[in-house]
C-alpha cells in the first residue's frame, strides 16, 4: 500500500452502487497536521456531479489510517457504476491509502482517464430502506380486494395454491 496526499483535485474510485436511499461514504484516511475538511463527492457513470457530504474532521485520526465517512442521502434507484471522489477543502495535511494497479478503477483528479491504473481505499456502504409498515386497503368496489385477487389467481394459474408454484400478482400503486 502507498500513501497519497489529498488535494482539492481529489482521488476517485469507480464503485457499483446498489439500490439504496443513501450511503455511508468515505475512505481510509489519516491527518498528519492541520485542520480543515474532507469532502466525499458522488458522480454518475458519465462523471457528472451529483452530490457531496463532508467528513467531520474529528473522525480522522492523527496517527493511523482509519475509516472516516459521512452520510450522503442520495437515492439510487438502479444498480450501476458511479464515481466516489475524496478531496480536502482547505489547509490540512490529509492522506489516503491506495496502490498502483494495472486495470484499476481509481484515478487522481476530476477528469476520468481512459485507463485508470490505481485503486484507493474509498468505499460506499448502502443504507437500508425503511419498512413500509402496515397498509390498510379499503374496498371501494363492488367486489372485495380479496375476491379480485382470488379471481386473478384462478384465471392465471387455474387454482389458489401458491405453495406448489410461484404466484405473481401485479398491483399498481398510485398516490
Amino acid at each position: 500500500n502507498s500513501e497519497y496526499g489529498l488535494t482539492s483535485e481529489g482521488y476517485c474510485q469507480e464503485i457499483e452502487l446498489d439500490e439504496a436511499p443513501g450511503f455511508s461514504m468515505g475512505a481510509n484516511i489519516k491527518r498528519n497536521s492541520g485542520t480543515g475538511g474532507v469532502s466525499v463527492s458522488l458522480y454518475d457513470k458519465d462523471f457528472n456531479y451529483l452530490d457531496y457530504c463532508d467528513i467531520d474532521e474529528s473522525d480522522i485520526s492523527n496517527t493511523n489510517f482509519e475509516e472516516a465517512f459521512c452520510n450522503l442521502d442520495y437515492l439510487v434507484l438502479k444498480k450501476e457504476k458511479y464515481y466516489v471522489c475524496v478531496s480536502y477543502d482547505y489547509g490540512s495535511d490529509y492522506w489516503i491509502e491506495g496502490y498502483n494497479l494495472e486495470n484499476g478503477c481509481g484515478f487522481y483528479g476530476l477528469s476520468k482517464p481512459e485507463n485508470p491504473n490505481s485503486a484507493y481505499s474509498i468505499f460506499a456502504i448502502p443504507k437500508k430502506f425503511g419498512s413500509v409498515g402496515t397498509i390498510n386497503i379499503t374496498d371501494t368496489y363492488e367486489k372485495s380486494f380479496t375476491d379480485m385477487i382470488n379471481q386473478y389467481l384462478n384465471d392465471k394459474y387455474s387454482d389458489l395454491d401458491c405453495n406448489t408454484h410461484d404466484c405473481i400478482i401485479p398491483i399498481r400503486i398510485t398516490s
Side-chain angles (χ1 to χ4, degrees), residues 6 11 15 23-31 36-41 53-72 84-87 94-97 120-125:
L6 283 178
Y11 290 89
I15 298 176
F23 298 86
S24 293
M25 301 172 66
N28 286 354
I29 302 172
K30 76 175 180 179
R31 177 178 51 215
V38 172
S39 293
V40 181
S41 300
C53 60
D54 291 320
I55 297 175
D56 188 320
E57 73 178 86
S58 66
D59 292 338
I60 300 173
S61 172
N62 282 327
T63 55
N64 300 312
F65 282 103
E66 292 180 6
E67 285 187 359
F69 64 91
C70 54
N71 291 308
L72 182 68
V84 178
C85 300
V86 179
S87 61
Y94 290 109
W95 294 79
I96 186 172
E97 283 186 308
Y120 305 104
S121 60
I122 297 172
F123 59 85
I125 301 168

Side-chain angles (χ1 to χ4, degrees), residues 132-157:
V132 174
T134 303
I135 299 174
N136 292 322
I137 298 175
T138 307
D139 289 328
T140 58
Y141 301 101
E142 290 179 21
K143 286 177 127 180
S144 75
F145 188 65
T146 303
D147 290 342
M148 290 171 27
I149 290 175
N150 288 339
Q151 181 66 47
Y152 176 83
L153 291 172
N154 272 322
D155 292 348
K156 181 79 174 174
Y157 303 105

